[in-house]
Amino acid sequence: MQFVNKNYFQLFSIAEKFHIDLDVLTSKYHELQIEIHPDKFVNSTEQEKLKAVHNTSSLNEAYGTLKSPLNRAGYLLKLHDMDVEQVNQDDLGMDLLMEQIQLRESLEQISNDESALSQLDDLKSRVRDKVSQCELTFGINLEGKDYSGAKGLFHEMQFLYKLLSEIDMIEERQLGY
Amino acid sequence: MALLNISEPGGKPTQPIRKRAVGIDLGTTNSLVAASCSGSVECLPDDQGEYLLPSVVHYRKGREPLVGSAAKARMVASPEDTIASVKRLLGKSLSEIKSQSLSQFIPYSFNEDKDDQSPAIHTVDGDKDPVVISSDILKILVQRAEECLQGDLDGAVITVPAYFNDAQRQQTRNAAQLAGLNVLRLLNEPTAAAVAYGLDSRDQGNVIVFDLGGGTFDVSLLSLQKGIFEVLATAGDSNLGGDDFDHILIDWMRNSTDSKKNYDASSYAALLQQANQVKHQLSEESAVEVEHQGKSLQIDKILFAELCEPLLKRTRLTCKRVLRDAGKKVEDIDNIVLVGGATRMLIIRESVVKFFGREPLTDIDPDKVVAMGAGIQADILIGNKSIDNFLLLDVNPLSLGIETMGELVEKIIPRNTTIPVSKAQEFTTFKDGQTVMAIHVLQGERELVSDCRSLARFELRGIPPMVAGAAKIEVSFQVDADGLLSVAAKELSTGKSAEITVKPSFGLNADAIGEMLSSSQMNAKSDMKARVLKEAQLEARQLIDATNSAISIAGTLLKEAEKNAITAIVEALEMAITHVDQAKIHALTEQLNRSSSDFAARRMDLDIKEALRGKSIEKLENS
């Protein structure tokens, strides 16, 4: 099986769209794993073993990309030749920047006491609502071939996911992990 | 146990040649071996009928060490030469061992002159490092299995705590290789336990494996879907185990009697045995009487649970963390599997039931379940058993990253990523004209370098001088199916690229790694090269041993000059091994092979001559 340069959607035989059925993705992933996993090559030559490790690593990378909505969005934009590494001022409107600043302020204002966890929870669900909104519109933009619109939403999602992971880290610290 | 039964569907098909594969649970307190000697995988007993081999090794001057109960019996009499719980020392530096909370109870004296990275314990039989001690335990299990399987083993699956870091995994693998084993896979203990259960109760579902061993604690959450065992998250506490509950009891005994007495190693060992006994009794009796310092003390389950609450709290925290990492809630859990002898403690069971709101599965002996799972997996991997759609997908337990400016850690592979995995990230130079970049590989969740575990350091040299930020250095990480890491760094901006691979490994201290790298610089090296090196070292070592013993037995067959020539090669080869010079190791092994083959031929000649002496030609032709 050759993974190099293969489109991830084709690899898993699913339609190249933003909204995908995660259960179908996972069961396809399992089917492929059963064929190529290093456990199936324990009695093979060193070369074949090495190849199995590389193939499975690529498969895991592909699965991880499509499983995460943010990575999937970035990958779809790349497939449409959008440079997601490059953020233009136009991609991020003033409103978006103001909103991000406000969200960040709310995070900083969370007091360090017993109510911290529930405050973090509230903020988290606010951010998650925004994420769902973005994802919905991203899907529509992509279908309508509005790639620059989709790119703006992708960058907004990047902000929001970054914020979510920061909330997670603060939460973990609060929980004593 | 559905999986155990799947193997032989109906009747007796023509038996292909079965290979001899075993599963080994190398535990902190006890070790076990499981294999399929009579059709289904079972734990193998010793000739006394005991399944558990206490993980204790007693060293004797110039003699084979005692392992197991015989060694355990000598713990009180000669604690310095009797090594217990060596698993706690695996993969740790001497300074780490000394800073461990339990270090005050470790009676061993360490060789202080050796490098910090390779601690060795002084014994009457010389210095012993944790890898050697572990391999001495493994050898006994191998013997046990070889008797039952009637022949040399073809392969083994060795279990490790899911939470073991890279150094601990490497050393486990090295110990197995030192014991002569072909390691098919390092398997995480909780995953092994899930395999043993086969979890026939449902084809789909989420399973929590709660594994409290003698010295380590792991919790894993697996999702089962049509034969695929996928680990969603794993978390643990590598410094929490059943032993800690013994120490709680000791503290209680000492505090209750106001005893300020300082214990020597052997009276402490006796106290530990007493505490251990009380702990076991508390799982069967409601209250236990304890004699200490002439006083009679009483402890019941409630008091014991109270004393142990800090430890119980740590176990619950780990459960919460694993649920969180997997994105699951307590209600999503369909089954709980208990692993490890320490889960027999009633206070643990009650704490688990309370947390998850359901009774755990306990059909399989919690002491045997890991070895059984490993044995089943070994049988499958070696090809004795083919099960459609059976696969284990495991994760890396700890995040891996490298040090960046400001002593911060940049994560390259986050924890709970399905393995095997490879990830690359680009970095750049900080100063104009910078030609060297130091790469420091770390494992852990924290942001600061000082809070993570250092796995390896190496330097990438020969970067073409450019303005700061212009060079592109790609650092790539590869974690294989055993959970072992290799790291490569490459300069991308020009056609000229340097690539180096580091495999943090036992016995390779920082200097040795530096030397290995400087000699291999500018050579593209694959991940497997490091493994090849280790194999070359092993082969060379075996050849040296064989040659030395041949010389001592039949040295008289050699002329003085020939003997000197062979000895010179042996010495040069030893040097090459110490200096980790792969090219030299290969060349000299080859050379020693050639020089000694002549010697071997002459020895064979002599043996034949001896055998033929007195026999006539006619007799030979007839025979």
Side-chain angles (χ1 to χ4, degrees):
Chain A
M1 192 164 301
Q2 193 54 259
F3 286 111
V4 185
N5 296 330
K6 194 157 184 179
N7 177 317
Y8 292 166
F9 290 94
Q10 287 164 13
L11 179 67
F12 293 105
S13 325
I14 54 175
E16 197 179 302
K17 288 193 308 186
F18 178 70
H19 293 286
I20 58 172
D21 186 336
L22 284 178
D23 290 341
V24 172
L25 176 72
T26 302
S27 86
K28 213 53 208 166
Y29 164 69
H30 287 164
E31 276 174 35
L32 291 168
Q33 275 285 21
I34 279 181
E35 283 175 46
I36 64 162
H37 194 273
D39 279 1
K40 306 290 171 186
F41 296 91
V42 165
N43 302 308
S44 309
T45 62
E46 283 302 319
Q47 212 177 357
E48 284 172 312
K49 283 185 194 174
L50 191 60
K51 200 175 132 204
V53 170
H54 287 307
N55 279 343
T56 314
S57 300
S58 308
L59 178 61
N60 283 332
E61 173 71 26
Y63 178 60
T65 302
L66 295 196
K67 200 168 75 165
S68 137
L70 182 65
N71 293 343
R72 191 192 318 137
Y75 182 70
L76 277 162
L77 287 172
K78 271 187 223 160
L79 287 181
H80 290 103
D81 296 323
M82 300 297 284
D83 184 359
V84 292
E85 311 291 332
Q86 206 68 49
V87 187
N88 301 323
Q89 208 54 49
D90 308 342
D91 293 333
L92 317 162
M94 211 46 209
D95 294 352
L96 172 65
L97 287 177
M98 285 312 293
E99 191 187 304
Q100 294 303 322
I101 290 169
Q102 276 168 10
L103 283 170
R104 252 167 217 290
E105 277 171 0
S106 337
L107 182 62
E108 277 154 27
Q109 278 159 11
I110 286 174
S111 47
N112 194 6
D113 56 29
E114 286 115 60
S115 67
L117 284 176
S118 70
Q119 288 182 55
L120 284 167
D121 260 354
D122 288 346
L123 183 60
K124 210 158 46 172
S125 48
R126 259 171 66 202
V127 178
R128 281 205 179 126
D129 284 347
K130 286 187 187 299
V131 168
S132 315
Q133 204 69 54
C134 278
E135 290 179 353
L136 200 69
T137 325
F138 181 92
I140 294 167
N141 280 354
L142 202 73
E143 297 277 303
K145 301 195 192 317
D146 175 6
Y147 300 125
S148 64
K151 184 173 187 287
L153 285 159
F154 169 71
H155 292 305
E156 188 172 351
M157 281 157 71
Q158 277 184 311
F159 272 121
L160 295 170
Y161 274 102
K162 181 99 201 308
L163 195 62
L164 279 176
S165 83
E166 277 167 41
I167 296 173
D168 271 348
M169 270 175 65
I170 295 172
E171 213 170 56
E172 284 179 14
R173 225 172 289 152
Q174 287 285 338
L175 291 164
Y177 292 159
Chain B
M1 278 181 278
L3 280 179
L4 291 179
N5 303 330
I6 298 172
S7 57
E8 274 94 24
K12 261 198 180 157
T14 47
Q15 285 275 325
I17 300 160
R18 284 187 67 86
K19 289 191 179 169
R20 301 182 187 90
V22 296
I24 292 178
D25 173 6
L26 182 61
T28 308
T29 323
N30 294 299
S31 297
L32 291 101
V33 59
S36 159
C37 293
S38 53
S40 65
V41 173
E42 295 170 337
C43 284
L44 312 179
D46 65 7
D47 47 19
Q48 306 290 312
E50 295 290 338
Y51 293 94
L52 299 177
L53 176 74
S55 303
V56 184
V57 184
H58 172 73
Y59 287 100
R60 307 178 290 180
K61 199 173 172 67
R63 294 165 71 193
E64 285 290 300
L66 291 173
V67 180
S69 314
K72 200 174 171 183
R74 283 164 176 77
M75 265 169 81
V76 175
S78 55
E80 299 87 356
D81 296 318
T82 311
I83 323 294
S85 300
V86 66
K87 193 170 175 180
R88 284 196 191 234
L89 310 180
L90 269 183
K92 295 201 171 129
S93 66
L94 187 53
S95 40
E96 273 178 293
I97 292 170
K98 289 194 163 164
S99 66
Q100 257 178 37
S101 57
L102 286 172
S103 65
Q104 50 178 318
F105 306 118
I106 296 178
Y108 320 126
S109 71
F110 288 88
N111 184 341
E112 301 285 342
D113 302 332
K114 281 197 78 177
D115 172 62
D116 189 54
Q117 291 302 313
S118 38
I121 298 172
H122 281 309
T123 74
V124 282
D125 196 37
D127 284 356
K128 303 288 174 186
D129 65 54
V131 170
V132 168
I133 300 164
S134 304
S135 84
D136 283 329
I137 298 168
L138 288 168
K139 281 175 193 162
I140 301 298
L141 296 172
V142 169
Q143 280 171 19
R144 198 188 277 186
E146 283 177 345
E147 275 166 34
C148 145
L149 292 167
Q150 297 168 351
D152 292 345
L153 300 185
D154 295 303
V157 168
I158 316 283
T159 60
V160 288
Y163 216 57
F164 251 22
N165 67 31
D166 194 74
Q168 292 167 307
R169 282 168 198 267
Q170 279 287 356
Q171 293 206 354
T172 305
R173 196 174 225 286
N174 291 343
Q177 283 169 338
L178 196 62
L181 285 167
N182 167 31
V183 182
L184 300 171
R185 185 69 74 235
L186 294 181
L187 181 61
N188 288 331
E189 287 162 10
T191 315
V195 172
Y197 266 98
L199 299 150
D200 45 350
S201 46
R202 285 174 65 175
D203 284 332
Q204 321 252 339
N206 296 310
V207 180
I208 281 276
V209 181
F210 184 102
D211 180 357
L212 186 62
T216 52
F217 176 57
D218 276 340
V219 180
S220 290
L221 203 168
L222 290 92
S223 146
L224 299 177
Q225 283 186 55
K226 300 173 211 146
I228 308 262
F229 288 56
E230 186 172 6
V231 180
L232 297 183
T234 186
D237 191 328
S238 55
N239 283 312
L240 176 64
D243 297 357
D244 295 302
F245 292 79
D246 298 340
H247 292 295
I248 293 259
L249 282 170
I250 289 181
D251 288 345
W252 166 75
M253 279 151 72
R254 295 177 69 171
N255 291 335
S256 312
T257 52
D258 221 9
S259 150
K260 303 262 187 313
K261 184 182 162 191
N262 274 325
Y263 288 85
D264 60 26
S266 94
S267 52
Y268 194 83
L271 192 57
L272 200 57
Q273 286 187 356
Q274 190 190 8
N276 189 265
Q277 207 183 350
V278 173
K279 183 178 78 177
H280 287 298
Q281 282 175 313
L282 277 167
S283 288
E284 275 151 28
E285 295 155 37
S286 51
V288 176
E289 295 272 343
V290 190
E291 285 286 330
H292 182 63
Q293 298 289 311
K295 271 195 187 173
S296 174
L297 306 169
Q298 205 186 47
I299 186 166
D300 60 11
K301 205 178 72 187
I302 296 162
L303 175 59
F304 187 42
E306 249 169 52
L307 292 170
C308 296
E309 180 51 28
L311 300 181
L312 297 173
K313 195 173 164 195
R314 274 162 74 186
T315 66
R316 288 195 297 269
L317 203 63
T318 305
C319 292
K320 279 185 197 156
R321 182 177 179 149
V322 86
L323 284 170
R324 182 189 164 88
D325 278 359
K328 300 282 176 198
K329 296 193 173 63
V330 165
E331 305 85 73
D332 298 327
I333 302 305
D334 301 291
N335 272 312
I336 303 150
V337 170
L338 293 184
V339 185
T343 59
R344 287 213 180 81
M345 274 188 275
L346 283 179
I347 56 168
I348 292 287
R349 291 206 176 185
E350 282 168 9
S351 166
V352 169
V353 170
K354 203 168 150 202
F355 184 85
F356 289 103
R358 86 176 32 241
E359 288 290 331
L361 298 175
T362 49
D363 314 359
I364 307 181
D365 182 341
D367 280 324
K368 290 182 188 167
V369 64
V370 167
M372 299 261 295
I376 294 168
Q377 176 71 346
D379 228 21
I380 294 169
L381 288 181
I382 201 108
N384 283 344
K385 197 182 277 193
S386 104
I387 298 179
D388 290 342
N389 295 329
F390 173 82
L391 192 65
L392 299 181
L393 298 175
D394 224 317
V395 297
N396 71 321
L398 298 160
S399 301
L400 295 160
I402 72 170
E403 177 173 349
T404 59
M405 289 302 300
E407 297 191 0
L408 291 174
V409 182
E410 170 88 14
K411 281 179 191 164
I412 294 189
I413 300 179
R415 70 170 185 264
N416 291 321
T417 304
T418 304
I419 54 171
V421 56
S422 61
K423 285 260 158 75
Q425 201 143 321
E426 274 180 29
F427 295 90
T428 188
T429 43
F430 173 65
K431 281 186 189 152
D432 287 345
Q434 185 178 340
T435 58
V436 182
M437 185 180 254
I439 291 164
H440 186 193
V441 185
L442 295 133
Q443 187 164 36
E445 306 313 316
R446 308 280 293 278
E447 292 142 72
L448 287 178
V449 167
S450 53
D451 295 328
C452 290
R453 195 200 146 87
S454 167
L455 290 180
R457 282 173 192 274
F458 65 96
E459 282 180 353
L460 180 70
R461 294 181 173 276
I463 300 169
M466 278 180 264
V467 289
K472 281 189 178 144
I473 317 292
E474 185 191 71
V475 178
S476 52
F477 278 43
Q478 167 86 62
V479 179
D480 67 14
D482 290 321
L484 295 174
L485 168 73
S486 14
V487 181
K490 201 176 179 181
E491 206 288 307
L492 300 171
S493 69
T494 59
K496 231 171 154 194
S497 76
E499 191 172 337
I500 294 163
T501 300
V502 168
K503 196 143 214 172
S505 154
F506 175 73
L508 293 183
N509 56 32
D511 291 345
I513 287 175
E515 273 194 55
M516 184 170 103
L517 291 175
S518 59
S519 71
S520 67
Q521 242 177 61
M522 307 306 286
N523 285 331
K525 282 198 141 204
S526 75
D527 305 350
M528 287 296 162
K529 280 277 166 74
R531 192 169 290 174
V532 171
L533 169 70
K534 234 184 297 164
E535 280 160 8
Q537 284 173 314
L538 206 65
E539 193 196 337
R541 171 69 41 215
Q542 283 168 341
L543 186 61
I544 290 173
D545 291 348
T547 310
N548 284 340
S549 85
I551 290 179
S552 73
I553 295 166
T556 48
L557 283 177
L558 292 169
K559 293 193 193 99
E560 198 58 29
E562 287 173 325
K563 193 148 98 187
N564 289 342
I566 291 180
T567 328
I569 302 170
V570 167
E571 274 164 6
L573 186 52
E574 299 234 44
M575 275 294 249
I577 295 174
T578 333
H579 289 143
V580 207
D581 184 338
Q582 189 172 352
K584 265 199 184 141
I585 295 175
H586 275 303
L588 290 166
T589 305
E590 184 75 357
Q591 205 182 338
L592 183 56
N593 250 325
R594 254 182 283 128
S595 328
S596 60
S597 67
D598 196 37
F599 176 35
R602 251 181 273 171
R603 279 191 64 196
M604 206 127 64
D605 267 0
L606 183 77
D607 287 348
I608 293 171
K609 272 183 203 146
E610 296 248 320
L612 295 185
R613 195 171 292 156
K615 285 185 188 170
S616 71
I617 307 250
E618 293 88 330
K619 268 186 191 158
L620 256 183
E621 278 170 351
N622 291 338
S623 64

